[in-house]
Amino acid sequence: MVKSKIIAIGDELLLGQIENSNAAFIAQKLYNIGIPVHRMVTIGDVREELILELEDSLKNFNVTIMTGGLGPTHDDITKSTLVNFFNDKLILNESVLEHIKKLFENRGMEMPEINKEQAFVPSKAKIIWNENGTAPGFWIEENNKIFISLPGVPFEMKPMITDSVIHMLKEMVVPLLGYYQKSKTILTTGITESALAELIGDVKTIIGENNKLAFLPSATGVRLRIDVTADSEENADLVMSKLIKKVTEKIGKYIYGFDDDTLNKIVHNQLVKKGLTISTAESCTSGMLASALTEFSGSSSFFIGGINSYSNVTKIEILGVNADTIHKYGAVSEETAIEMATNVRKKFNTDIGISITGIAGPTGGTDEKPVGLVYIGYSDEKKAYAIKNLFGNNRERNRLRAVNAALSILHFELV
Amino acid sequence: MVKSKIIAIGDELLLGQIENSNAAFIAQKLYNIGIPVHRMVTIGDVREELILELEDSLKNFNVTIMTGGLGPTHDDITKSTLVNFFNDKLILNESVLEHIKKLFENRGMEMPEINKEQAFVPSKAKIIWNENGTAPGFWIEENNKIFISLPGVPFEMKPMITDSVIHMLKEMVVPLLGYYQKSKTILTTGITESALAELIGDVKTIIGENNKLAFLPSATGVRLRIDVTADSEENADLVMSKLIKKVTEKIGKYIYGFDDDTLNKIVHNQLVKKGLTISTAESCTSGMLASALTEFSGSSSFFIGGINSYSNVTKIEILGVNADTIHKYGAVSEETAIEMATNVRKKFNTDIGISITGIAGPTGGTDEKPVGLVYIGYSDEKKAYAIKNLFGNNRERNRLRAVNAALSILHFELV
């Protein structure tokens, strides 16, 4: 088995000033190529601590990925510590220097002298190109162990992992494993974990003895992770596509995407593909759905606008909901949700209108209409309806789940 | 010096399925009482790994905080490993059992047999009460070292830290230090790091030799952390309030809060206090400001509604912006921003109207109006104006910074 470790380096992490979001990202990518992470460590900008970790890695881990400590200031100790530890020396890399100069040029600035230092790289290292920043990454091999050093800024580090590191590891390390592991995550919406399990039936007969299926529930839907192991990459791909097909036959209706897909992005693509326009009317979420629908560039082709009708006066006067409807059924009701969706669609002259009205909490609930009660209204030229949801007590989570429920309805309508 | 370590336990962390947000939270709280974290480790649900970490802690760390592995299933190895490691035994704690039963009762369910196991606690441990979940925390002392075990669910863990652990540590550990450390973070908005530094002048003359002032820039404003060290808690408090006063004299205008405050929450409180109502007109952020203004319960007292005028047709037909204004100056202009703010204020009959119009990117920019150009419009009965901002290339960050700039303007107007 190939064992890997992630070391995050930086005082700001130990002070709790920033969260380490890099480790989970890297771990997921490594797992997907069959190199599970066995340990994550966070240390300060302290030479001795890094040396202890490097010694541990030389003994116990095939692959070590470090993030952080590659900046140009004296606090950044990663590069010089690596050079000392591996008895290497620094040499100037002209193309890295050009790249750094160019980055400053693009911002209309001259390169500060201190940044030239970042173009000096360990002579034994392979360079991992950093398209988005001045600090290159390094790939060092010693005693058949691999040490990879990357910058700590997620925006710089993440593309280096997906564009370079994962491919390099697949080429070098995975063949040594003697087997190929593939992982794929199936994303579902609109169904509970137990209902999914019932539809799938006996996991072993579908997945086989050598593969794994894990259920991962979350606030935005249940994910299914399939792990496949085979003797070649081709066979792993073959088995995976067979399994995906089998699972899709059982639960295809509820699958909206795979791996890094999001429901936001999928609905965005569905709207673009169908050439339909949409408008929103939101009460308790007050703009969260509208901002989710405009998360990605290009959303102006389908998103025309929306009304955040947080108060009843806005529902009635701006959105034109019948005051009698609110009086008779309440602002949080099937009837109001349907009127909100239909009125916003007509007002904005869009193909689809979607609405959210609910009691986010923590106050405002009654026995009849408790905190967490949320109606999602849908309207197009042919039909209008509302779906009732009962979420929990947490305001923030209720608002997120309401947006997700609305996206889920849009996804099913746009299939 | 008191050294502390955080151990996160859970396979799902090593698989990258969830991010470890607990560690940064705990580290920040510990730092604020003078117990800096020297190391963070993440391990799987593996007995041997936890034992190695406990041995390391017994040798090298005064305080060790563990999160995770306290659930009722066989994967959860933390409690049984602690019992073995410290030669302890489990005893039934009746009040914990009552609490667990009650939690299920509140959800209308009977307690499953498996959860009874969670009421058995190490006999030598102090219980750390878990108000929000079934797994109690433990405080174990051995060789003058403190071991604290907490559940991994942030929603359960965080109140246990702030309500119990921090107080217990302050009482027991801090007196042993021989000095008292206090940290406070000053939150500013509407000013850059370098302008702040200029206003403050020579840090040493303000802060003194024994204390520290750190500048922490972020997308939502520059934070200033002050660290004070004194021989008693009273003196530390005294020095801190003197320093806060000195800094406030220099930059008070730009301070909106302290420590865990957010600009959202501050503006919410300002609006409630002044009894003013507000409405929003948003283009590129399309509802993000409206959802920020309604993040907290009670916002219905001031937030009446908003229009997400993502398209020009919405700006003109729904919001009533003059088509000539858009034609002459563009949708992203001072003039359009002012009309948006003024029109929404009148349309919703509120005291304040606030608007955002900009080019979030990554496409849609021109030489004259580049990606990142955002105008924030403000309108009340007496005045209306718009402020120009030039952010960067990243769509997500531009939208966040636009919302923050709008909240910042509201904060200054409502002081």
Side-chain angles (χ1 to χ4, degrees), chain A residues 17 39-40 42 53 225 291 294-295 304 306 308 311 314 395 399, chain B residues 17 39-40 42 53 225 291 294-295 304 306 308 311 314 395 399:
Chain A
Q17 277 165 15
R39 190 179 178 76
M40 298 168 171
T42 303
E53 287 302 331
R225 200 189 62 239
S291 62
T294 54
E295 184 177 345
I304 305 305
N308 312 315
S311 61
T314 302
R395 179 178 179 86
R399 302 215 307 165
Chain B
Q17 277 165 16
R39 193 180 176 76
M40 299 168 171
T42 303
E53 287 301 331
R225 200 190 61 239
S291 63
T294 54
E295 184 178 344
I304 305 306
N308 311 317
S311 61
T314 302
R395 180 180 180 85
R399 303 214 307 166

PDB file of all heavy atoms in Angstrom, chain A residues 17 39-40 42 53 225 291 294-295 304 306 308 311 314 395 399, chain B residues 17 39-40 42 53 225 291 294-295 304 306 308 311 314 395 399:
ATOM      1  N   GLN A  17      -6.150  31.688  12.641  1.00  0.00           N
ATOM      2  CA  GLN A  17      -6.568  32.848  11.834  1.00  0.00           C
ATOM      3  C   GLN A  17      -7.196  32.412  10.525  1.00  0.00           C
ATOM      4  O   GLN A  17      -8.050  33.099   9.981  1.00  0.00           O
ATOM      5  CB  GLN A  17      -5.379  33.744  11.528  1.00  0.00           C
ATOM      6  CG  GLN A  17      -5.063  34.700  12.634  1.00  0.00           C
ATOM      7  CD  GLN A  17      -3.687  35.316  12.461  1.00  0.00           C
ATOM      8  OE1 GLN A  17      -3.098  35.248  11.403  1.00  0.00           O
ATOM      9  NE2 GLN A  17      -3.195  35.896  13.525  1.00  0.00           N
ATOM     10  N   ARG A  39      -2.370  10.582   7.270  1.00  0.00           N
ATOM     11  CA  ARG A  39      -2.055  11.503   8.347  1.00  0.00           C
ATOM     12  C   ARG A  39      -1.985  12.918   7.795  1.00  0.00           C
ATOM     13  O   ARG A  39      -1.478  13.141   6.695  1.00  0.00           O
ATOM     14  CB  ARG A  39      -0.678  11.106   8.905  1.00  0.00           C
ATOM     15  CG  ARG A  39      -0.275  11.783  10.163  1.00  0.00           C
ATOM     16  CD  ARG A  39       1.104  11.252  10.585  1.00  0.00           C
ATOM     17  NE  ARG A  39       1.551  11.930  11.772  1.00  0.00           N
ATOM     18  CZ  ARG A  39       1.081  11.670  12.988  1.00  0.00           C
ATOM     19  NH1 ARG A  39       0.200  10.718  13.171  1.00  0.00           N
ATOM     20  NH2 ARG A  39       1.512  12.342  14.025  1.00  0.00           N
ATOM     21  N   MET A  40      -2.560  13.857   8.554  1.00  0.00           N
ATOM     22  CA  MET A  40      -2.422  15.278   8.215  1.00  0.00           C
ATOM     23  C   MET A  40      -1.829  15.968   9.432  1.00  0.00           C
ATOM     24  O   MET A  40      -2.251  15.710  10.556  1.00  0.00           O
ATOM     25  CB  MET A  40      -3.790  15.896   7.937  1.00  0.00           C
ATOM     26  CG  MET A  40      -4.558  15.312   6.764  1.00  0.00           C
ATOM     27  SD  MET A  40      -6.282  15.908   6.807  1.00  0.00           S
ATOM     28  CE  MET A  40      -6.890  15.308   5.216  1.00  0.00           C
ATOM     29  N   THR A  42      -0.367  19.852  10.977  1.00  0.00           N
ATOM     30  CA  THR A  42      -0.155  21.292  10.814  1.00  0.00           C
ATOM     31  C   THR A  42       0.915  21.740  11.791  1.00  0.00           C
ATOM     32  O   THR A  42       0.824  21.461  12.985  1.00  0.00           O
ATOM     33  CB  THR A  42      -1.452  22.080  11.096  1.00  0.00           C
ATOM     34  OG1 THR A  42      -2.481  21.608  10.229  1.00  0.00           O
ATOM     35  CG2 THR A  42      -1.243  23.567  10.865  1.00  0.00           C
ATOM     36  N   GLU A  53       9.221  16.288  10.739  1.00  0.00           N
ATOM     37  CA  GLU A  53       8.198  15.719   9.854  1.00  0.00           C
ATOM     38  C   GLU A  53       8.829  15.076   8.625  1.00  0.00           C
ATOM     39  O   GLU A  53       8.365  14.022   8.164  1.00  0.00           O
ATOM     40  CB  GLU A  53       7.197  16.807   9.433  1.00  0.00           C
ATOM     41  CG  GLU A  53       6.238  17.236  10.526  1.00  0.00           C
ATOM     42  CD  GLU A  53       5.404  16.092  11.074  1.00  0.00           C
ATOM     43  OE1 GLU A  53       5.128  15.135  10.320  1.00  0.00           O
ATOM     44  OE2 GLU A  53       5.043  16.139  12.262  1.00  0.00           O
ATOM     45  N   ARG A 225     -20.423   7.111  -2.963  1.00  0.00           N
ATOM     46  CA  ARG A 225     -19.057   6.969  -3.484  1.00  0.00           C
ATOM     47  C   ARG A 225     -18.808   5.515  -3.867  1.00  0.00           C
ATOM     48  O   ARG A 225     -19.023   4.605  -3.062  1.00  0.00           O
ATOM     49  CB  ARG A 225     -18.022   7.418  -2.465  1.00  0.00           C
ATOM     50  CG  ARG A 225     -16.678   7.740  -3.137  1.00  0.00           C
ATOM     51  CD  ARG A 225     -15.546   7.985  -2.164  1.00  0.00           C
ATOM     52  NE  ARG A 225     -15.307   6.791  -1.375  1.00  0.00           N
ATOM     53  CZ  ARG A 225     -15.382   6.733  -0.061  1.00  0.00           C
ATOM     54  NH1 ARG A 225     -15.699   7.803   0.638  1.00  0.00           N
ATOM     55  NH2 ARG A 225     -15.169   5.602   0.583  1.00  0.00           N
ATOM     56  N   SER A 291     -28.979  34.552  -5.903  1.00  0.00           N
ATOM     57  CA  SER A 291     -27.518  34.626  -5.982  1.00  0.00           C
ATOM     58  C   SER A 291     -26.926  33.266  -6.352  1.00  0.00           C
ATOM     59  O   SER A 291     -25.900  33.200  -7.023  1.00  0.00           O
ATOM     60  CB  SER A 291     -26.906  35.201  -4.705  1.00  0.00           C
ATOM     61  OG  SER A 291     -27.174  34.407  -3.600  1.00  0.00           O
ATOM     62  N   THR A 294     -27.038  32.936 -10.075  1.00  0.00           N
ATOM     63  CA  THR A 294     -26.124  33.823 -10.803  1.00  0.00           C
ATOM     64  C   THR A 294     -24.676  33.604 -10.365  1.00  0.00           C
ATOM     65  O   THR A 294     -23.818  34.458 -10.578  1.00  0.00           O
ATOM     66  CB  THR A 294     -26.506  35.299 -10.576  1.00  0.00           C
ATOM     67  OG1 THR A 294     -26.566  35.554  -9.164  1.00  0.00           O
ATOM     68  CG2 THR A 294     -27.850  35.621 -11.186  1.00  0.00           C
ATOM     69  N   GLU A 295     -24.413  32.438  -9.773  1.00  0.00           N
ATOM     70  CA  GLU A 295     -23.055  32.176  -9.281  1.00  0.00           C
ATOM     71  C   GLU A 295     -22.038  32.132 -10.419  1.00  0.00           C
ATOM     72  O   GLU A 295     -20.882  32.525 -10.250  1.00  0.00           O
ATOM     73  CB  GLU A 295     -23.029  30.846  -8.505  1.00  0.00           C
ATOM     74  CG  GLU A 295     -21.673  30.545  -7.884  1.00  0.00           C
ATOM     75  CD  GLU A 295     -21.652  29.271  -7.064  1.00  0.00           C
ATOM     76  OE1 GLU A 295     -22.732  28.749  -6.717  1.00  0.00           O
ATOM     77  OE2 GLU A 295     -20.544  28.784  -6.776  1.00  0.00           O
ATOM     78  N   ILE A 304     -33.374  36.682 -15.309  1.00  0.00           N
ATOM     79  CA  ILE A 304     -33.838  38.027 -15.651  1.00  0.00           C
ATOM     80  C   ILE A 304     -33.918  38.916 -14.411  1.00  0.00           C
ATOM     81  O   ILE A 304     -33.591  40.092 -14.459  1.00  0.00           O
ATOM     82  CB  ILE A 304     -35.224  37.959 -16.352  1.00  0.00           C
ATOM     83  CG1 ILE A 304     -35.157  37.025 -17.561  1.00  0.00           C
ATOM     84  CG2 ILE A 304     -35.704  39.350 -16.763  1.00  0.00           C
ATOM     85  CD1 ILE A 304     -34.076  37.361 -18.582  1.00  0.00           C
ATOM     86  N   GLY A 306     -35.362  39.100  -9.871  1.00  0.00           N
ATOM     87  CA  GLY A 306     -36.124  38.495  -8.793  1.00  0.00           C
ATOM     88  C   GLY A 306     -36.545  39.527  -7.768  1.00  0.00           C
ATOM     89  O   GLY A 306     -35.997  40.631  -7.717  1.00  0.00           O
ATOM     90  N   ASN A 308     -37.158  39.999  -3.627  1.00  0.00           N
ATOM     91  CA  ASN A 308     -36.997  39.450  -2.290  1.00  0.00           C
ATOM     92  C   ASN A 308     -38.127  39.996  -1.432  1.00  0.00           C
ATOM     93  O   ASN A 308     -38.016  41.068  -0.859  1.00  0.00           O
ATOM     94  CB  ASN A 308     -35.633  39.822  -1.722  1.00  0.00           C
ATOM     95  CG  ASN A 308     -34.528  39.553  -2.725  1.00  0.00           C
ATOM     96  OD1 ASN A 308     -34.517  38.498  -3.360  1.00  0.00           O
ATOM     97  ND2 ASN A 308     -33.618  40.496  -2.892  1.00  0.00           N
ATOM     98  N   SER A 311     -41.247  40.916   3.413  1.00  0.00           N
ATOM     99  CA  SER A 311     -42.399  41.366   4.206  1.00  0.00           C
ATOM    100  C   SER A 311     -43.685  41.096   3.441  1.00  0.00           C
ATOM    101  O   SER A 311     -43.693  40.946   2.222  1.00  0.00           O
ATOM    102  CB  SER A 311     -42.268  42.870   4.470  1.00  0.00           C
ATOM    103  OG  SER A 311     -42.263  43.559   3.238  1.00  0.00           O
ATOM    104  N   THR A 314     -44.458  43.761   0.786  1.00  0.00           N
ATOM    105  CA  THR A 314     -43.764  43.546  -0.491  1.00  0.00           C
ATOM    106  C   THR A 314     -44.451  42.456  -1.308  1.00  0.00           C
ATOM    107  O   THR A 314     -44.598  42.566  -2.522  1.00  0.00           O
ATOM    108  CB  THR A 314     -42.287  43.180  -0.243  1.00  0.00           C
ATOM    109  OG1 THR A 314     -41.680  44.222   0.501  1.00  0.00           O
ATOM    110  CG2 THR A 314     -41.539  42.996  -1.553  1.00  0.00           C
ATOM    111  N   ARG A 395     -31.714  28.227  11.669  1.00  0.00           N
ATOM    112  CA  ARG A 395     -32.045  29.228  10.650  1.00  0.00           C
ATOM    113  C   ARG A 395     -31.151  29.127   9.415  1.00  0.00           C
ATOM    114  O   ARG A 395     -31.631  29.074   8.290  1.00  0.00           O
ATOM    115  CB  ARG A 395     -31.908  30.633  11.270  1.00  0.00           C
ATOM    116  CG  ARG A 395     -32.213  31.778  10.307  1.00  0.00           C
ATOM    117  CD  ARG A 395     -32.088  33.129  11.027  1.00  0.00           C
ATOM    118  NE  ARG A 395     -32.365  34.218  10.106  1.00  0.00           N
ATOM    119  CZ  ARG A 395     -33.574  34.691   9.833  1.00  0.00           C
ATOM    120  NH1 ARG A 395     -34.624  34.165  10.417  1.00  0.00           N
ATOM    121  NH2 ARG A 395     -33.745  35.676   8.979  1.00  0.00           N
ATOM    122  N   ARG A 399     -32.331  27.889   5.618  1.00  0.00           N
ATOM    123  CA  ARG A 399     -32.262  28.731   4.418  1.00  0.00           C
ATOM    124  C   ARG A 399     -31.478  28.005   3.316  1.00  0.00           C
ATOM    125  O   ARG A 399     -31.881  28.014   2.146  1.00  0.00           O
ATOM    126  CB  ARG A 399     -31.629  30.089   4.751  1.00  0.00           C
ATOM    127  CG  ARG A 399     -32.410  30.849   5.852  1.00  0.00           C
ATOM    128  CD  ARG A 399     -32.440  32.356   5.701  1.00  0.00           C
ATOM    129  NE  ARG A 399     -31.167  33.017   5.555  1.00  0.00           N
ATOM    130  CZ  ARG A 399     -31.049  34.283   5.135  1.00  0.00           C
ATOM    131  NH1 ARG A 399     -32.129  34.986   4.822  1.00  0.00           N
ATOM    132  NH2 ARG A 399     -29.871  34.851   5.038  1.00  0.00           N
TER     133      ARG A 399
ATOM    134  N   GLN B  17     -13.608  14.043   2.820  1.00  0.00           N
ATOM    135  CA  GLN B  17     -15.061  14.218   2.662  1.00  0.00           C
ATOM    136  C   GLN B  17     -15.561  15.449   3.389  1.00  0.00           C
ATOM    137  O   GLN B  17     -16.537  16.071   2.980  1.00  0.00           O
ATOM    138  CB  GLN B  17     -15.808  12.998   3.197  1.00  0.00           C
ATOM    139  CG  GLN B  17     -15.893  11.878   2.217  1.00  0.00           C
ATOM    140  CD  GLN B  17     -16.295  10.586   2.890  1.00  0.00           C
ATOM    141  OE1 GLN B  17     -16.786  10.570   4.004  1.00  0.00           O
ATOM    142  NE2 GLN B  17     -16.063   9.500   2.198  1.00  0.00           N
ATOM    143  N   ARG B  39       0.649  22.343  17.518  1.00  0.00           N
ATOM    144  CA  ARG B  39       0.593  21.244  16.565  1.00  0.00           C
ATOM    145  C   ARG B  39      -0.857  20.811  16.404  1.00  0.00           C
ATOM    146  O   ARG B  39      -1.611  20.758  17.369  1.00  0.00           O
ATOM    147  CB  ARG B  39       1.413  20.089  17.142  1.00  0.00           C
ATOM    148  CG  ARG B  39       1.726  18.981  16.213  1.00  0.00           C
ATOM    149  CD  ARG B  39       2.552  17.928  16.960  1.00  0.00           C
ATOM    150  NE  ARG B  39       2.776  16.806  16.098  1.00  0.00           N
ATOM    151  CZ  ARG B  39       3.649  16.784  15.108  1.00  0.00           C
ATOM    152  NH1 ARG B  39       4.412  17.817  14.888  1.00  0.00           N
ATOM    153  NH2 ARG B  39       3.759  15.727  14.340  1.00  0.00           N
ATOM    154  N   MET B  40      -1.231  20.540  15.148  1.00  0.00           N
ATOM    155  CA  MET B  40      -2.542  19.957  14.875  1.00  0.00           C
ATOM    156  C   MET B  40      -2.310  18.683  14.084  1.00  0.00           C
ATOM    157  O   MET B  40      -1.501  18.672  13.155  1.00  0.00           O
ATOM    158  CB  MET B  40      -3.382  20.911  14.025  1.00  0.00           C
ATOM    159  CG  MET B  40      -3.692  22.263  14.636  1.00  0.00           C
ATOM    160  SD  MET B  40      -4.368  23.373  13.357  1.00  0.00           S
ATOM    161  CE  MET B  40      -4.912  24.769  14.358  1.00  0.00           C
ATOM    162  N   THR B  42      -4.340  15.194  12.251  1.00  0.00           N
ATOM    163  CA  THR B  42      -5.563  14.473  11.891  1.00  0.00           C
ATOM    164  C   THR B  42      -5.210  13.013  11.649  1.00  0.00           C
ATOM    165  O   THR B  42      -4.294  12.717  10.881  1.00  0.00           O
ATOM    166  CB  THR B  42      -6.192  15.055  10.615  1.00  0.00           C
ATOM    167  OG1 THR B  42      -6.443  16.438  10.811  1.00  0.00           O
ATOM    168  CG2 THR B  42      -7.490  14.343  10.279  1.00  0.00           C
ATOM    169  N   GLU B  53      -0.364   9.143  19.482  1.00  0.00           N
ATOM    170  CA  GLU B  53      -0.557  10.572  19.724  1.00  0.00           C
ATOM    171  C   GLU B  53      -0.677  10.866  21.221  1.00  0.00           C
ATOM    172  O   GLU B  53      -0.164  11.872  21.705  1.00  0.00           O
ATOM    173  CB  GLU B  53      -1.803  11.088  18.996  1.00  0.00           C
ATOM    174  CG  GLU B  53      -1.643  11.209  17.489  1.00  0.00           C
ATOM    175  CD  GLU B  53      -0.516  12.155  17.100  1.00  0.00           C
ATOM    176  OE1 GLU B  53      -0.226  13.095  17.860  1.00  0.00           O
ATOM    177  OE2 GLU B  53       0.086  11.932  16.041  1.00  0.00           O
ATOM    178  N   ARG B 225      -4.897  42.513  15.566  1.00  0.00           N
ATOM    179  CA  ARG B 225      -4.901  41.713  16.785  1.00  0.00           C
ATOM    180  C   ARG B 225      -3.927  42.303  17.784  1.00  0.00           C
ATOM    181  O   ARG B 225      -2.758  42.526  17.477  1.00  0.00           O
ATOM    182  CB  ARG B 225      -4.537  40.262  16.494  1.00  0.00           C
ATOM    183  CG  ARG B 225      -5.013  39.322  17.620  1.00  0.00           C
ATOM    184  CD  ARG B 225      -4.460  37.907  17.501  1.00  0.00           C
ATOM    185  NE  ARG B 225      -3.032  37.908  17.574  1.00  0.00           N
ATOM    186  CZ  ARG B 225      -2.231  37.453  16.623  1.00  0.00           C
ATOM    187  NH1 ARG B 225      -2.717  36.971  15.513  1.00  0.00           N
ATOM    188  NH2 ARG B 225      -0.921  37.494  16.771  1.00  0.00           N
ATOM    189  N   SER B 291     -29.696  38.765   1.232  1.00  0.00           N
ATOM    190  CA  SER B 291     -29.618  37.601   2.116  1.00  0.00           C
ATOM    191  C   SER B 291     -28.677  37.865   3.289  1.00  0.00           C
ATOM    192  O   SER B 291     -28.885  37.353   4.382  1.00  0.00           O
ATOM    193  CB  SER B 291     -29.265  36.333   1.346  1.00  0.00           C
ATOM    194  OG  SER B 291     -28.017  36.419   0.761  1.00  0.00           O
ATOM    195  N   THR B 294     -30.609  39.661   5.949  1.00  0.00           N
ATOM    196  CA  THR B 294     -31.628  38.849   6.619  1.00  0.00           C
ATOM    197  C   THR B 294     -31.024  37.606   7.266  1.00  0.00           C
ATOM    198  O   THR B 294     -31.728  36.642   7.556  1.00  0.00           O
ATOM    199  CB  THR B 294     -32.727  38.422   5.624  1.00  0.00           C
ATOM    200  OG1 THR B 294     -32.110  37.768   4.499  1.00  0.00           O
ATOM    201  CG2 THR B 294     -33.508  39.616   5.115  1.00  0.00           C
ATOM    202  N   GLU B 295     -29.708  37.636   7.490  1.00  0.00           N
ATOM    203  CA  GLU B 295     -29.042  36.452   8.056  1.00  0.00           C
ATOM    204  C   GLU B 295     -29.545  36.128   9.462  1.00  0.00           C
ATOM    205  O   GLU B 295     -29.612  34.972   9.866  1.00  0.00           O
ATOM    206  CB  GLU B 295     -27.531  36.678   8.077  1.00  0.00           C
ATOM    207  CG  GLU B 295     -26.749  35.458   8.557  1.00  0.00           C
ATOM    208  CD  GLU B 295     -25.241  35.665   8.540  1.00  0.00           C
ATOM    209  OE1 GLU B 295     -24.763  36.613   7.888  1.00  0.00           O
ATOM    210  OE2 GLU B 295     -24.543  34.870   9.191  1.00  0.00           O
ATOM    211  N   ILE B 304     -37.470  45.302   4.322  1.00  0.00           N
ATOM    212  CA  ILE B 304     -38.806  45.242   3.717  1.00  0.00           C
ATOM    213  C   ILE B 304     -38.789  44.396   2.441  1.00  0.00           C
ATOM    214  O   ILE B 304     -39.724  43.639   2.183  1.00  0.00           O
ATOM    215  CB  ILE B 304     -39.323  46.669   3.422  1.00  0.00           C
ATOM    216  CG1 ILE B 304     -39.281  47.518   4.695  1.00  0.00           C
ATOM    217  CG2 ILE B 304     -40.742  46.630   2.849  1.00  0.00           C
ATOM    218  CD1 ILE B 304     -40.015  46.917   5.897  1.00  0.00           C
ATOM    219  N   GLY B 306     -36.464  43.575  -1.637  1.00  0.00           N
ATOM    220  CA  GLY B 306     -35.444  44.003  -2.587  1.00  0.00           C
ATOM    221  C   GLY B 306     -35.722  43.473  -3.972  1.00  0.00           C
ATOM    222  O   GLY B 306     -36.525  42.549  -4.143  1.00  0.00           O
ATOM    223  N   ASN B 308     -33.748  42.027  -7.413  1.00  0.00           N
ATOM    224  CA  ASN B 308     -32.503  41.584  -8.016  1.00  0.00           C
ATOM    225  C   ASN B 308     -32.584  41.890  -9.508  1.00  0.00           C
ATOM    226  O   ASN B 308     -33.086  41.101 -10.286  1.00  0.00           O
ATOM    227  CB  ASN B 308     -32.305  40.093  -7.769  1.00  0.00           C
ATOM    228  CG  ASN B 308     -32.515  39.743  -6.313  1.00  0.00           C
ATOM    229  OD1 ASN B 308     -32.050  40.459  -5.424  1.00  0.00           O
ATOM    230  ND2 ASN B 308     -33.257  38.676  -6.050  1.00  0.00           N
ATOM    231  N   SER B 311     -30.873  41.966 -15.074  1.00  0.00           N
ATOM    232  CA  SER B 311     -30.911  42.370 -16.488  1.00  0.00           C
ATOM    233  C   SER B 311     -31.309  43.841 -16.608  1.00  0.00           C
ATOM    234  O   SER B 311     -31.906  44.412 -15.695  1.00  0.00           O
ATOM    235  CB  SER B 311     -31.931  41.510 -17.239  1.00  0.00           C
ATOM    236  OG  SER B 311     -33.207  41.703 -16.668  1.00  0.00           O
ATOM    237  N   THR B 314     -35.092  44.409 -16.330  1.00  0.00           N
ATOM    238  CA  THR B 314     -35.576  44.476 -14.945  1.00  0.00           C
ATOM    239  C   THR B 314     -35.266  45.836 -14.332  1.00  0.00           C
ATOM    240  O   THR B 314     -36.090  46.419 -13.623  1.00  0.00           O
ATOM    241  CB  THR B 314     -34.953  43.349 -14.101  1.00  0.00           C
ATOM    242  OG1 THR B 314     -35.272  42.095 -14.683  1.00  0.00           O
ATOM    243  CG2 THR B 314     -35.473  43.378 -12.675  1.00  0.00           C
ATOM    244  N   ARG B 395     -14.685  36.374  -9.935  1.00  0.00           N
ATOM    245  CA  ARG B 395     -16.128  36.624  -9.839  1.00  0.00           C
ATOM    246  C   ARG B 395     -16.649  36.470  -8.417  1.00  0.00           C
ATOM    247  O   ARG B 395     -17.314  37.339  -7.874  1.00  0.00           O
ATOM    248  CB  ARG B 395     -16.859  35.651 -10.772  1.00  0.00           C
ATOM    249  CG  ARG B 395     -18.376  35.812 -10.762  1.00  0.00           C
ATOM    250  CD  ARG B 395     -19.034  34.809 -11.731  1.00  0.00           C
ATOM    251  NE  ARG B 395     -20.474  34.948 -11.721  1.00  0.00           N
ATOM    252  CZ  ARG B 395     -21.148  35.836 -12.456  1.00  0.00           C
ATOM    253  NH1 ARG B 395     -20.489  36.655 -13.252  1.00  0.00           N
ATOM    254  NH2 ARG B 395     -22.459  35.909 -12.389  1.00  0.00           N
ATOM    255  N   ARG B 399     -18.036  39.523  -5.958  1.00  0.00           N
ATOM    256  CA  ARG B 399     -19.402  39.606  -5.429  1.00  0.00           C
ATOM    257  C   ARG B 399     -19.374  39.755  -3.906  1.00  0.00           C
ATOM    258  O   ARG B 399     -20.115  40.551  -3.327  1.00  0.00           O
ATOM    259  CB  ARG B 399     -20.226  38.382  -5.859  1.00  0.00           C
ATOM    260  CG  ARG B 399     -20.273  38.217  -7.395  1.00  0.00           C
ATOM    261  CD  ARG B 399     -21.568  37.650  -7.936  1.00  0.00           C
ATOM    262  NE  ARG B 399     -22.028  36.413  -7.351  1.00  0.00           N
ATOM    263  CZ  ARG B 399     -23.275  35.950  -7.525  1.00  0.00           C
ATOM    264  NH1 ARG B 399     -24.163  36.625  -8.247  1.00  0.00           N
ATOM    265  NH2 ARG B 399     -23.634  34.802  -6.994  1.00  0.00           N
TER     266      ARG B 399
END
